[in-house]
Amino acid sequence: MEITPIDFRGQPAVRATGADASTLTVALHGAQVLSWTTADGGERFFISPRAVFDGKTAIRAGVPICCPQFNMRGMLPKHGFMRNLPWEPQPADTAAGTLVFRLRDNEATRALWPHAFEARLDVTLAPGRLRIALTLTNIDHAPWAFAAALHSYLRVDDIAQARLEGLEGANRWDSLRDDRHVETSAALRFDAEFDSVYAAPAKPLRLVQPSGTLEIAQSASCTETVVWNPGAELCARLPDMPADGYRHMLCVEAARIDEQVTLAPGAQWQGWQQLTVL
């Protein structure tokens, strides 16, 4: 694996190139995976043409890290603060194809969330596969609790032709209707705004399109799967999205949000998502 520091739309980033010519790009801002191209040259993540790259704002692209809070479920800024801070690149494990980034508590984080922590992101590139693992360590003298999600913006050719398989039988909370029920569809299809939290199934999901299929797996420690597409109406109101942006993305997120994790001093938690081209 070849690793190169780069400038990505004015912001520092790291690019890794695999032996099969696949590429991985990660911004230091938020340790946010921005791009994954497979050996065929296909981009697997959505990057909004209107995404803001100012080193402060959350980037509408790739895989933002939502932590230690999900959405507005708490007193912190939306989705916490980890996606909005610079992370430090660590020595890569080139033999394993892994880029490593670290964030530790500092004066800015303690002003929002008064806990000592270390967060680590390991991103592993392999032929036809990408694995993103978030590890949190409590380096404080008291326990603390958190929620987390890997908010993956998966690129689709056309949302009208995409379907997501593998959630039939899972408990679902439809946040748009505040309705709880068991999912009855063998394949989800998307023709309007969609925003639901599912109890994560034991088996991987499949995002199926005419151009191919992507398998989506997540760790058992991520007990929920969030599925979101803004639809035309909401997308038109988002300043960092083009009007037709919803047609080319689907968020399928590995999450631990319904019940927070409580970490004792010295304890660790890890959650991961793995994407495989079938």
Side-chain angles (χ1 to χ4, degrees):
M1 182 173 73
E2 180 182 337
I3 302 170
T4 309
I6 65 166
D7 179 285
F8 191 97
R9 299 194 189 179
Q11 293 299 311
V14 176
R15 176 163 292 159
T17 303
D20 65 342
S22 59
T23 68
L24 164 68
T25 304
V26 184
L28 300 192
H29 179 66
Q32 186 160 333
V33 175
L34 297 175
S35 171
W36 170 40
T37 64
T38 39
D40 58 3
E43 175 60 64
R44 301 294 168 168
F45 288 121
F46 172 78
I47 305 176
S48 172
R50 294 187 180 176
V52 178
F53 289 84
D54 62 3
K56 300 176 183 178
T57 308
I59 304 169
R60 183 82 68 181
V63 190
I65 298 171
C66 303
C67 192
Q69 176 181 297
F70 182 76
N71 207 329
M72 301 299 290
R73 299 184 181 193
M75 302 300 291
L76 294 172
K78 185 177 182 180
H79 288 319
F81 51 77
M82 292 189 185
R83 64 178 183 161
N84 292 325
L85 294 174
W87 290 49
E88 298 176 356
Q90 303 295 297
D93 184 344
T94 53
T98 302
L99 297 180
V100 182
F101 303 86
R102 186 183 71 175
L103 176 69
R104 296 191 68 166
D105 62 284
N106 54 44
E107 186 176 347
T109 69
R110 291 190 293 271
L112 294 168
W113 197 63
H115 305 297
F117 70 90
E118 179 176 290
R120 172 178 164 134
L121 191 76
D122 293 65
V123 191
T124 302
L125 179 67
R129 180 175 296 165
L130 188 73
R131 183 184 178 99
I132 305 170
L134 174 66
T135 303
L136 296 180
T137 304
N138 183 347
I139 56 175
D140 213 329
H141 300 294
W144 41 257
F146 69 94
L150 297 171
H151 196 306
S152 299
Y153 284 81
L154 303 176
R155 178 168 182 81
V156 298
D157 301 321
D158 188 333
I159 193 65
Q161 296 182 308
R163 67 182 190 271
L164 185 64
E165 300 176 348
L167 287 166
E168 185 178 14
N171 290 329
R172 173 186 179 185
W173 176 55
D174 182 338
S175 72
L176 301 177
R177 298 167 181 80
D178 192 18
D179 175 60
R180 296 182 184 274
H181 60 275
V182 173
E183 180 59 64
T184 58
S185 300
L188 305 183
R189 295 183 181 274
F190 308 94
D191 57 5
E193 183 179 357
F194 193 102
D195 193 352
S196 290
V197 179
Y198 289 89
K203 295 182 179 180
L205 308 181
R206 291 190 173 196
L207 177 58
V208 182
Q209 306 183 67
S211 61
T213 298
L214 188 70
E215 181 184 83
I216 308 165
Q218 65 189 61
S219 61
S221 57
C222 290
T223 48
E224 287 81 46
T225 299
V226 182
V227 182
W228 178 64
N229 180 279
E233 186 176 337
L234 175 58
C235 190
R237 300 198 302 268
L238 297 174
D240 57 353
M241 283 279 276
D244 67 344
Y246 73 96
R247 292 181 53 197
H248 304 295
M249 51 76 58
L250 179 67
C251 285
V252 183
E253 310 167 34
R256 177 64 180 261
I257 55 177
D258 282 349
E259 182 178 347
Q260 290 194 331
V261 177
T262 298
L263 274 190
Q268 276 190 345
W269 175 91
Q270 184 182 87
W272 54 259
Q273 183 181 67
Q274 181 168 284
L275 308 173
T276 305
V277 178
L278 299 181

Short mmCIF file of all heavy atoms in Angstrom, two decimals, residues 220-253:
data_model
loop_
_atom_site.label_atom_id
_atom_site.label_comp_id
_atom_site.label_asym_id
_atom_site.label_seq_id
_atom_site.Cartn_x
_atom_site.Cartn_y
_atom_site.Cartn_z
N ALA A 220 -21.27 -6.71 16.00
CA ALA A 220 -22.39 -6.94 16.91
C ALA A 220 -22.51 -5.82 17.94
O ALA A 220 -23.58 -5.60 18.51
CB ALA A 220 -22.21 -8.29 17.61
N SER A 221 -21.40 -5.11 18.17
CA SER A 221 -21.43 -4.00 19.13
C SER A 221 -22.23 -2.81 18.60
O SER A 221 -22.63 -1.94 19.38
CB SER A 221 -20.00 -3.55 19.44
OG SER A 221 -19.32 -3.19 18.25
N CYS A 222 -22.45 -2.75 17.30
CA CYS A 222 -23.33 -1.75 16.69
C CYS A 222 -24.72 -2.39 16.58
O CYS A 222 -24.97 -3.18 15.66
CB CYS A 222 -22.82 -1.32 15.33
SG CYS A 222 -21.30 -0.35 15.40
N THR A 223 -25.57 -2.09 17.53
CA THR A 223 -26.83 -2.81 17.67
C THR A 223 -27.95 -2.27 16.78
O THR A 223 -29.02 -2.87 16.71
CB THR A 223 -27.29 -2.76 19.14
OG1 THR A 223 -27.18 -1.41 19.62
CG2 THR A 223 -26.41 -3.65 20.01
N GLU A 224 -27.70 -1.14 16.10
CA GLU A 224 -28.69 -0.57 15.20
C GLU A 224 -28.09 -0.32 13.82
O GLU A 224 -26.88 -0.13 13.68
CB GLU A 224 -29.25 0.76 15.73
CG GLU A 224 -30.19 0.61 16.91
CD GLU A 224 -29.43 0.44 18.21
OE1 GLU A 224 -28.47 1.19 18.46
OE2 GLU A 224 -29.79 -0.48 18.98
N THR A 225 -28.97 -0.31 12.83
CA THR A 225 -28.63 0.11 11.48
C THR A 225 -29.57 1.24 11.11
O THR A 225 -30.79 1.10 11.21
CB THR A 225 -28.79 -1.04 10.47
OG1 THR A 225 -27.91 -2.10 10.82
CG2 THR A 225 -28.48 -0.57 9.06
N VAL A 226 -29.00 2.39 10.73
CA VAL A 226 -29.80 3.55 10.33
C VAL A 226 -29.81 3.64 8.81
O VAL A 226 -28.75 3.54 8.17
CB VAL A 226 -29.24 4.85 10.94
CG1 VAL A 226 -30.12 6.04 10.56
CG2 VAL A 226 -29.11 4.73 12.46
N VAL A 227 -30.98 3.82 8.24
CA VAL A 227 -31.12 3.95 6.78
C VAL A 227 -31.77 5.30 6.49
O VAL A 227 -32.84 5.61 7.02
CB VAL A 227 -31.97 2.81 6.20
CG1 VAL A 227 -32.07 2.93 4.68
CG2 VAL A 227 -31.39 1.45 6.58
N TRP A 228 -31.10 6.11 5.65
CA TRP A 228 -31.61 7.47 5.41
C TRP A 228 -31.37 7.91 3.97
O TRP A 228 -30.30 7.69 3.42
CB TRP A 228 -30.89 8.48 6.33
CG TRP A 228 -31.32 9.90 6.13
CD1 TRP A 228 -32.56 10.43 6.34
CD2 TRP A 228 -30.50 10.97 5.63
NE1 TRP A 228 -32.56 11.78 6.03
CE2 TRP A 228 -31.33 12.15 5.59
CE3 TRP A 228 -29.17 11.07 5.23
CZ2 TRP A 228 -30.84 13.37 5.16
CZ3 TRP A 228 -28.69 12.31 4.80
CH2 TRP A 228 -29.52 13.43 4.77
N ASN A 229 -32.42 8.49 3.40
CA ASN A 229 -32.31 9.23 2.15
C ASN A 229 -33.23 10.43 2.29
O ASN A 229 -34.39 10.28 2.69
CB ASN A 229 -32.72 8.37 0.95
CG ASN A 229 -32.61 9.14 -0.36
OD1 ASN A 229 -33.50 9.92 -0.72
ND2 ASN A 229 -31.53 8.91 -1.08
N PRO A 230 -32.75 11.65 1.97
CA PRO A 230 -33.56 12.85 2.24
C PRO A 230 -34.74 13.03 1.31
O PRO A 230 -35.67 13.80 1.65
CB PRO A 230 -32.55 13.99 2.08
CG PRO A 230 -31.52 13.46 1.15
CD PRO A 230 -31.41 11.99 1.47
N GLY A 231 -34.75 12.35 0.17
CA GLY A 231 -35.82 12.59 -0.79
C GLY A 231 -35.70 13.97 -1.42
O GLY A 231 -34.89 14.81 -1.00
N ALA A 232 -36.52 14.23 -2.41
CA ALA A 232 -36.39 15.47 -3.20
C ALA A 232 -36.70 16.72 -2.38
O ALA A 232 -35.99 17.72 -2.47
CB ALA A 232 -37.32 15.39 -4.41
N GLU A 233 -37.75 16.68 -1.57
CA GLU A 233 -38.20 17.88 -0.86
C GLU A 233 -37.17 18.35 0.17
O GLU A 233 -36.79 19.53 0.21
CB GLU A 233 -39.55 17.63 -0.20
CG GLU A 233 -40.16 18.86 0.42
CD GLU A 233 -41.56 18.61 0.98
OE1 GLU A 233 -42.22 17.65 0.53
OE2 GLU A 233 -41.98 19.37 1.88
N LEU A 234 -36.72 17.43 1.04
CA LEU A 234 -35.73 17.81 2.05
C LEU A 234 -34.40 18.16 1.40
O LEU A 234 -33.72 19.12 1.79
CB LEU A 234 -35.54 16.68 3.06
CG LEU A 234 -34.43 16.90 4.10
CD1 LEU A 234 -34.66 18.16 4.91
CD2 LEU A 234 -34.32 15.68 5.04
N CYS A 235 -34.00 17.41 0.40
CA CYS A 235 -32.72 17.65 -0.26
C CYS A 235 -32.66 19.07 -0.82
O CYS A 235 -31.62 19.73 -0.74
CB CYS A 235 -32.50 16.63 -1.38
SG CYS A 235 -30.86 16.65 -2.09
N ALA A 236 -33.76 19.56 -1.35
CA ALA A 236 -33.80 20.90 -1.92
C ALA A 236 -33.58 21.98 -0.87
O ALA A 236 -33.18 23.10 -1.20
CB ALA A 236 -35.14 21.13 -2.62
N ARG A 237 -33.78 21.63 0.42
CA ARG A 237 -33.61 22.60 1.50
C ARG A 237 -32.23 22.52 2.15
O ARG A 237 -31.91 23.34 3.01
CB ARG A 237 -34.68 22.39 2.58
CG ARG A 237 -36.10 22.55 2.08
CD ARG A 237 -37.08 22.78 3.22
NE ARG A 237 -37.07 21.73 4.21
CZ ARG A 237 -37.87 20.66 4.19
NH1 ARG A 237 -38.73 20.50 3.19
NH2 ARG A 237 -37.82 19.74 5.15
N LEU A 238 -31.44 21.53 1.77
CA LEU A 238 -30.12 21.36 2.38
C LEU A 238 -29.10 22.20 1.60
O LEU A 238 -28.87 21.96 0.41
CB LEU A 238 -29.70 19.88 2.36
CG LEU A 238 -30.59 18.94 3.18
CD1 LEU A 238 -30.17 17.49 2.97
CD2 LEU A 238 -30.55 19.29 4.67
N PRO A 239 -28.47 23.19 2.25
CA PRO A 239 -27.60 24.10 1.51
C PRO A 239 -26.35 23.45 0.93
O PRO A 239 -25.78 23.95 -0.04
CB PRO A 239 -27.23 25.16 2.55
CG PRO A 239 -27.45 24.50 3.88
CD PRO A 239 -28.57 23.56 3.67
N ASP A 240 -25.92 22.32 1.52
CA ASP A 240 -24.70 21.66 1.02
C ASP A 240 -25.01 20.45 0.15
O ASP A 240 -24.18 19.57 -0.01
CB ASP A 240 -23.78 21.27 2.18
CG ASP A 240 -24.46 20.37 3.20
OD1 ASP A 240 -25.69 20.13 3.09
OD2 ASP A 240 -23.77 19.88 4.11
N MET A 241 -26.22 20.43 -0.42
CA MET A 241 -26.61 19.37 -1.36
C MET A 241 -27.20 19.99 -2.62
O MET A 241 -27.97 20.94 -2.54
CB MET A 241 -27.64 18.44 -0.72
CG MET A 241 -27.08 17.46 0.28
SD MET A 241 -26.35 16.00 -0.50
CE MET A 241 -27.81 14.99 -0.75
N PRO A 242 -26.86 19.45 -3.81
CA PRO A 242 -27.57 19.88 -5.01
C PRO A 242 -28.99 19.32 -4.98
O PRO A 242 -29.28 18.37 -4.25
CB PRO A 242 -26.75 19.25 -6.14
CG PRO A 242 -26.10 18.06 -5.52
CD PRO A 242 -25.84 18.42 -4.08
N ALA A 243 -29.87 19.90 -5.76
CA ALA A 243 -31.28 19.50 -5.72
C ALA A 243 -31.48 18.02 -6.03
O ALA A 243 -32.40 17.38 -5.50
CB ALA A 243 -32.08 20.36 -6.69
N ASP A 244 -30.62 17.46 -6.90
CA ASP A 244 -30.79 16.05 -7.26
C ASP A 244 -29.84 15.14 -6.48
O ASP A 244 -29.70 13.96 -6.82
CB ASP A 244 -30.58 15.86 -8.76
CG ASP A 244 -29.14 16.11 -9.19
OD1 ASP A 244 -28.36 16.73 -8.41
OD2 ASP A 244 -28.77 15.69 -10.31
N GLY A 245 -29.19 15.66 -5.44
CA GLY A 245 -28.21 14.86 -4.69
C GLY A 245 -28.79 13.59 -4.10
O GLY A 245 -28.10 12.56 -4.03
N TYR A 246 -30.05 13.65 -3.68
CA TYR A 246 -30.69 12.48 -3.07
C TYR A 246 -30.73 11.29 -4.01
O TYR A 246 -30.80 10.13 -3.57
CB TYR A 246 -32.12 12.83 -2.63
CG TYR A 246 -33.09 12.96 -3.78
CD1 TYR A 246 -33.91 11.89 -4.15
CD2 TYR A 246 -33.17 14.13 -4.53
CE1 TYR A 246 -34.78 11.98 -5.22
CE2 TYR A 246 -34.03 14.24 -5.60
CZ TYR A 246 -34.84 13.17 -5.95
OH TYR A 246 -35.68 13.26 -7.02
N ARG A 247 -30.67 11.53 -5.31
CA ARG A 247 -30.76 10.44 -6.29
C ARG A 247 -29.51 9.58 -6.31
O ARG A 247 -29.55 8.45 -6.82
CB ARG A 247 -31.01 11.01 -7.68
CG ARG A 247 -32.35 11.67 -7.88
CD ARG A 247 -32.50 12.17 -9.30
NE ARG A 247 -32.23 11.09 -10.26
CZ ARG A 247 -31.96 11.30 -11.56
NH1 ARG A 247 -31.91 12.55 -12.03
NH2 ARG A 247 -31.74 10.29 -12.37
N HIS A 248 -28.41 10.10 -5.76
CA HIS A 248 -27.12 9.42 -5.91
C HIS A 248 -26.52 8.97 -4.59
O HIS A 248 -25.33 8.66 -4.54
CB HIS A 248 -26.16 10.34 -6.66
CG HIS A 248 -26.69 10.79 -7.97
ND1 HIS A 248 -26.92 9.92 -9.02
CD2 HIS A 248 -27.08 12.02 -8.42
CE1 HIS A 248 -27.41 10.59 -10.05
NE2 HIS A 248 -27.52 11.86 -9.70
N MET A 249 -27.31 8.91 -3.50
CA MET A 249 -26.77 8.49 -2.22
C MET A 249 -27.81 7.74 -1.41
O MET A 249 -29.01 7.89 -1.59
CB MET A 249 -26.28 9.69 -1.39
CG MET A 249 -27.24 10.86 -1.22
SD MET A 249 -28.60 10.67 -0.03
CE MET A 249 -27.79 10.33 1.48
N LEU A 250 -27.29 6.87 -0.55
CA LEU A 250 -28.11 6.21 0.46
C LEU A 250 -27.23 6.00 1.68
O LEU A 250 -26.15 5.41 1.58
CB LEU A 250 -28.63 4.86 -0.04
CG LEU A 250 -29.49 4.09 0.98
CD1 LEU A 250 -30.81 4.82 1.25
CD2 LEU A 250 -29.75 2.66 0.52
N CYS A 251 -27.66 6.54 2.81
CA CYS A 251 -26.91 6.32 4.04
C CYS A 251 -27.36 5.00 4.68
O CYS A 251 -28.55 4.79 4.92
CB CYS A 251 -27.14 7.45 5.02
SG CYS A 251 -26.27 8.96 4.59
N VAL A 252 -26.40 4.12 4.91
CA VAL A 252 -26.62 2.88 5.66
C VAL A 252 -25.57 2.88 6.75
O VAL A 252 -24.38 2.69 6.48
CB VAL A 252 -26.50 1.63 4.76
CG1 VAL A 252 -26.81 0.37 5.56
CG2 VAL A 252 -27.45 1.74 3.55
N GLU A 253 -25.99 3.10 7.98
CA GLU A 253 -25.07 3.44 9.07
C GLU A 253 -25.00 2.32 10.12
O GLU A 253 -26.03 1.83 10.58
CB GLU A 253 -25.52 4.73 9.75
CG GLU A 253 -25.80 5.87 8.77
CD GLU A 253 -26.53 7.02 9.41
OE1 GLU A 253 -26.29 7.29 10.61
OE2 GLU A 253 -27.37 7.65 8.73
#
